[in-house]
C-alpha cells in the first residue's frame, strides 16, 4: 500500500495486485463510516493489477483511520462467512 496526498483527510491509497473483488468490498465497508465524505476506487488499466483507492473524510479525521477500520471489518465479515461455510 502506498499513500499519496498532502492533506491527511483526503488520501489515495495504491493497492498492488488487487482487482474489483477487494475494491468494491472495501469501498462498501468504508462508506458505512459516517465520517467518510467520499470513497471510491478505479483500476488504472485492465493490463495493470493495481487499484487507486481514494478516501475523503469530514473534519480532521485522517483518511488512514477509516481505511484501516474498513480492512479490519472486511476481514471480520470474511472470517464469519468462512466459519459459517465450514
Amino acid at each position: 500500500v502506498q499513500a499519496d496526498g498532502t492533506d491527511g483527510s483526503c488520501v489515495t491509497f495504491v493497492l498492488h495486485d488487487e482487482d474489483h473483488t477487494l475494491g468494491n468490498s472495501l469501498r462498501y465497508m468504508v462508506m458505512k463510516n459516517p465520517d467518510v465524505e467520499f470513497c471510491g476506487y478505479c483500476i488504472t488499466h485492465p493490463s495493470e493489477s493495481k487499484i487507486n483507492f481514494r478516501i475523503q473524510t469530514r473534519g480532521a479525521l485522517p483518511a488512514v483511520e477509516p481505511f484501516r477500520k474498513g480492512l479490519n471489518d472486511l476481514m471480520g465479515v470474511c472470517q464469519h462467512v468462512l466459519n459459517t461455510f465450514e
Side-chain angles (χ1 to χ4, degrees), residues 1-85:
V1 176
Q2 172 184 351
D4 296 325
T6 56
D7 182 13
S9 67
C10 187
V11 177
T12 300
F13 300 92
V14 180
L15 308 174
H16 297 277
D17 298 324
E18 296 298 343
D19 58 10
H20 290 288
T21 304
L22 178 66
N24 197 31
S25 302
L26 184 57
R27 183 196 59 80
Y28 174 78
M29 297 305 282
V30 170
M31 282 303 296
K32 291 171 71 174
N33 188 333
D35 293 326
V36 173
E37 188 172 41
F38 172 81
C39 181
Y41 76 97
C42 69
I43 294 182
T44 56
H45 191 272
S47 66
E48 294 182 31
S49 60
K50 72 177 184 177
I51 293 175
N52 289 335
F53 194 87
R54 185 145 183 103
I55 298 176
Q56 182 175 344
T57 60
R58 294 181 174 88
L61 179 70
V64 71
E65 295 301 321
F67 181 67
R68 187 174 289 131
K69 182 177 179 346
L71 286 171
N72 287 330
D73 292 349
L74 185 57
M75 285 192 310
V77 168
C78 291
Q79 188 62 50
H80 174 73
V81 169
L82 180 63
N83 291 342
T84 304
F85 179 75

